[in-house]
Amino acid sequence: MYSEKIKKEYERWCEKAEDADVAAELKSIVEDKDAQEDAFYRDLEFGTGGLRGVLGAGTNRMNVYTVAKASQGLADYVCKHDPEGKRSIAISRDSRIKSEDFAKIAAGVFAANGIRTYIYKELMPTPCASYAIRALSCSAGIMVTASHNPSKYNGYKVYGPDGCQITTEGAEEVLAEIEKLDIFDDVKRIDFEEGLASGMISYIDDKVYTDFTEEVKAQSVLYGDEIDKNVSIVYTPLNGSGLKPVLRALKESGYTNITVVKEQEHPDGNFPTCPYPNPEIKEAMALGMEYAAKCNADLLLATDPDSDRVGIAVRDDKGIAGNKGEYVLLTGNETGILLLDYICSQRKKHDKMPEDPVLIKTIVTIDMADRIAADYGVRTINVLTGFKFIGEQILMLEQKGHEDSYIFGFEESYGYLSGSYVRDKDAVDGAFMICEMFAYYKTRGIGLLDKLNELYTKYGHCLNKTYSYEFDGSAGFEKMQDIMNDMRKGVSVIGPKKVLKSLDYAEGLDGLPKSNVLKYLLEDNCSVVVRPSGTEPKLKFYISVSADSKEACAAVSDEIKLALEKYL
């Protein structure tokens, strides 16, 4: 509700905000109490995903002031934990509106606090941020991005010295530092150019990017096997940061028959042809699929704006999916199990499997992966939703001297990583490995849909579907909490399936950190996970169904979805 506190904070911003865009927006809502309330009813939430929110004026928005305040909090955290003279932070950014401004403002804050700051000369993907942190032995790092969100969003991911997004404990410490600060009076800043001139800010050497590319190419599991790399590929970076790194890795490895979707080739934070630039969404892939059909391409690749997620479509040459000659989008789970099986089979074939091979996946990722891994003698570690928890497990392996045990990690939301050179999902690596896998099978007369069917025949049909429901503003936030509380009261049946066991991760479970997540284990190897997004105003349902056929899976999944929606 609109309050005197909100009114006073709005008026303070009107008095103190000097940024032209912020000032203009504040002026435009002078008579709009609802807009003032939404902009000031809370501070933009800082968590393990850093910051993410709608661009605009106010404490609940992404703007130069909220970014500078978060940067000051991070600077104070780094200064507490790292000895003087060794403090440094690496920065990367994607193509979003204000990303360059936010990156430079953050750099100016860090430099003003005596922290050496390294920043890429041009936009670079999220995995390049993770890589630079480790390569330059930094205390922390940030990636300015809102990942796959619509153009009205931007965000700010924070990384630790291991190149992994900060953990819950780290995020709480940074948040505590942020909360001590007044957004206007307590932030130290110098101009970006001044920082460059003084040497406190410097551009990241091109060698770091080259070394990253070499690490991606080193993930190949061909081990001398011959493949035809002249497969026809259509690629779209969805107006994001993937264009140069993805094309470089592929072309240097011999994949040259690549057509780029012209309308989505160059960086553009407005995303004019894909309002929701997420390769999980069919609409975002539509233009790429048109290109693929025109080119008669074998494979379509799409990376999201910060190039940590990759989606694909393949031509249905044999009518396996029912539409011969048309392109079929694969889910993140389907691509994940295909990559897992390919990597495992190649390692086994060439005697390259480590002593204790490990797959790391999230609790909402397809259960079939566990069965495939077990078949190859690979141990599965299941973690909470978020690739940071996969990165955390890689660090634990590294600390025990078993980093080489990690052979693959993935999550259902199109995130993959086949090596430990970075600690976040990597669409450059994902695109590279997908192209290699595709070419390997095509050279042997096998399509990815053939291979997928083979896996379903061997391990049983499994369908995983994710549904997101938006709850904007303060009322929406409260509604999400009410739904979670309602479901915590007890659920005995969901659709046609009885609940065998309820798992509540709110107080921590199975050694995992506390998280506002509910999981229901249903009869017949089915399950449901319910959780509010940590970075968006959304409630998500993850439905996993096992059945005798694809059709039976779909029918049961639909019934479960309808039953869950009654809680909304």
Side-chain angles (χ1 to χ4, degrees):
M1 292 288 292
Y2 190 77
S3 64
E4 187 64 23
K5 183 181 178 185
I6 288 172
K7 179 176 179 287
K8 283 185 176 178
E9 188 64 7
Y10 166 72
E11 289 171 349
R12 190 168 83 102
W13 274 60
C14 287
E15 180 190 338
K16 295 210 167 195
E18 296 176 355
D19 178 80
D21 290 343
V22 170
E25 185 176 333
L26 290 169
K27 190 175 180 181
S28 74
I29 62 171
V30 66
E31 301 293 338
D32 191 340
K33 289 185 177 179
D34 287 342
Q36 290 176 31
E37 179 192 348
D38 199 42
F40 289 97
Y41 82 92
R42 66 169 185 166
D43 287 348
L44 197 61
E45 190 173 336
F46 183 94
T48 55
L51 295 175
R52 192 177 299 185
V54 174
L55 290 158
T59 57
N60 187 35
R61 296 285 186 265
M62 284 294 295
N63 54 63
V64 294
Y65 301 105
T66 53
V67 166
K69 182 181 178 183
S71 300
Q72 182 64 54
L74 178 59
D76 291 341
Y77 169 83
V78 166
C79 289
K80 272 189 175 181
H81 284 268
D82 275 24
E84 197 169 351
K86 292 189 177 181
R87 299 164 186 163
S88 60
I89 291 179
I91 302 175
S92 184
R93 63 178 174 87
D94 69 2
S95 62
R96 287 186 172 273
I97 297 165
K98 298 278 186 184
S99 278
E100 184 174 3
D101 292 345
F102 293 164
K104 288 182 174 180
I105 283 160
V109 171
F110 299 144
N113 282 274
I115 299 170
R116 289 276 289 123
T117 305
Y118 304 98
I119 186 169
Y120 280 107
K121 293 174 189 171
E122 57 185 332
L123 73 170
M124 281 285 173
T126 285
C128 288
S130 177
Y131 188 80
I133 293 161
R134 290 163 57 76
L136 300 171
S137 301
C138 291
S139 314
I142 65 166
M143 175 71 194
V144 182
T145 179
S147 191
H148 55 285
N149 287 79
S151 60
K152 67 179 181 178
Y153 285 86
N154 209 330
Y156 180 106
K157 293 181 184 176
V158 179
Y159 292 79
D162 59 342
C164 181
Q165 282 190 63
I166 52 171
T167 59
T168 306
E169 186 181 328
E172 286 173 354
E173 279 195 65
V174 175
L175 176 60
E177 296 298 333
I178 293 170
E179 288 179 335
K180 294 175 187 175
L181 304 169
D182 179 88
I183 199 164
F184 294 109
D185 300 335
D186 296 336
V187 179
K188 301 175 189 174
R189 284 169 64 171
I190 61 168
D191 182 73
F192 180 78
E193 296 301 327
E194 181 189 336
L196 279 176
S198 71
M200 286 303 295
I201 300 173
S202 55
Y203 287 114
I204 294 171
D205 193 278
D206 289 341
K207 184 179 182 301
V208 174
Y209 170 43
T210 297
D211 290 347
F212 166 79
T213 305
E214 291 303 313
E215 288 282 7
V216 170
K217 294 189 294 183
Q219 299 311 307
S220 170
V221 290
L222 287 173
Y223 304 120
D225 284 351
E226 293 295 321
I227 61 170
D228 176 10
K229 293 182 179 177
N230 195 38
V231 291
S232 175
I233 300 164
V234 166
Y235 169 59
T236 171
L238 297 179
N239 300 118
S241 60
L243 181 71
K244 289 186 178 180
V246 170
L247 290 185
R248 178 174 176 177
L250 290 176
K251 288 182 176 180
E252 287 184 4
S253 301
Y255 302 92
T256 55
N257 189 5
I258 304 171
T259 301
V260 179
V261 176
K262 207 72 186 165
E263 297 88 339
Q264 298 170 347
E265 179 175 8
H266 298 297
D268 187 342
N270 291 298
F271 310 115
T273 60
C274 52
Y276 206 101
N278 181 355
E280 297 178 64
I281 305 298
K282 189 175 182 180
E283 289 73 18
M285 304 289 278
L287 193 55
M289 289 176 77
E290 285 179 27
Y291 264 73
K294 284 177 192 171
C295 300
N296 197 28
D298 298 310
L299 176 66
L300 166 66
L301 293 171
T303 54
D304 69 342
D306 65 323
S307 199
D308 62 353
R309 300 172 190 235
V310 56
I312 69 170
V314 294
R315 193 176 55 224
D316 188 2
D317 290 322
K318 299 174 185 176
I320 290 172
N323 297 298
K324 190 172 182 179
E326 292 192 13
Y327 288 84
V328 178
L329 291 166
L330 270 60
T331 68
N333 278 315
E334 288 171 335
T335 303
I337 59 174
L338 283 165
L339 283 169
L340 171 64
D341 182 73
Y342 171 67
I343 290 166
C344 287
S345 62
Q346 283 295 101
R347 281 180 171 273
K348 187 175 180 181
K349 174 183 172 184
H350 293 278
D351 198 24
K352 298 288 187 179
M353 198 69 90
E355 192 173 322
D356 177 28
V358 171
L359 160 72
I360 309 173
K361 59 183 266 294
T362 62
I363 59 172
V364 298
T365 298
I366 191 165
D367 297 329
M368 189 197 293
D370 302 58
R371 299 197 290 273
I372 294 170
D375 205 25
Y376 284 103
V378 174
R379 179 165 58 96
T380 300
I381 298 174
N382 282 289
V383 297
L384 290 175
T385 308
F387 219 90
K388 57 185 165 286
F389 296 112
I390 294 176
E392 194 176 34
Q393 290 292 328
I394 299 173
L395 174 62
M396 290 179 190
L397 289 171
E398 181 183 27
Q399 289 170 339
K400 294 173 184 174
H402 299 310
E403 188 180 345
D404 290 344
S405 290
Y406 173 79
I407 61 167
F408 191 51
F410 80 107
E411 58 185 3
E412 42 67 51
S413 54
Y414 295 62
Y416 316 102
L417 179 64
S418 65
S420 60
Y421 58 98
V422 294
R423 299 297 159 83
D424 207 342
K425 49 187 177 283
D426 181 4
V428 185
D429 167 57
F432 173 80
M433 292 301 295
I434 287 164
C435 288
E436 177 176 297
M437 171 178 68
F438 182 90
Y440 176 88
Y441 287 132
K442 188 172 189 291
T443 303
R444 288 149 184 81
I446 303 166
L448 289 190
L449 294 176
D450 295 317
K451 194 67 191 175
L452 194 57
N453 265 10
E454 182 186 310
L455 293 177
Y456 284 139
T457 301
K458 184 173 182 180
Y459 298 102
H461 284 270
C462 191
L463 176 66
N464 278 46
K465 298 200 100 173
T466 304
Y467 298 96
S468 296
Y469 303 87
E470 289 204 31
F471 294 87
D472 287 321
S474 56
F477 180 79
E478 287 178 20
K479 175 68 174 170
M480 281 197 290
Q481 305 313 310
D482 288 344
I483 292 167
M484 294 299 291
N485 291 335
D486 193 24
M487 296 192 76
R488 279 197 167 93
K489 291 174 184 174
V491 178
S492 59
V493 63
I494 303 178
K497 302 293 181 183
K498 290 179 184 175
V499 175
L500 301 180
K501 191 175 184 181
S502 300
L503 303 173
D504 188 346
Y505 292 87
E507 295 304 319
L509 203 62
D510 299 331
L512 299 176
K514 295 177 182 180
S515 185
N516 190 14
V517 178
L518 293 167
K519 184 167 186 174
Y520 299 98
L521 303 179
L522 312 179
E523 58 186 338
D524 302 322
N525 288 320
C526 300
S527 67
V528 167
V529 175
V530 184
R531 75 174 187 99
S533 170
T535 54
E536 306 167 82
K538 290 180 178 180
L539 187 71
K540 295 189 175 186
F541 295 150
Y542 301 83
I543 301 171
S544 178
V545 174
S546 297
D548 294 335
S549 67
K550 184 179 175 182
E551 293 74 21
C553 282
V556 173
S557 180
D558 287 345
E559 287 186 67
I560 290 173
K561 174 178 177 276
L562 285 172
L564 288 169
E565 286 178 340
K566 290 176 182 175
Y567 286 93
L568 304 181

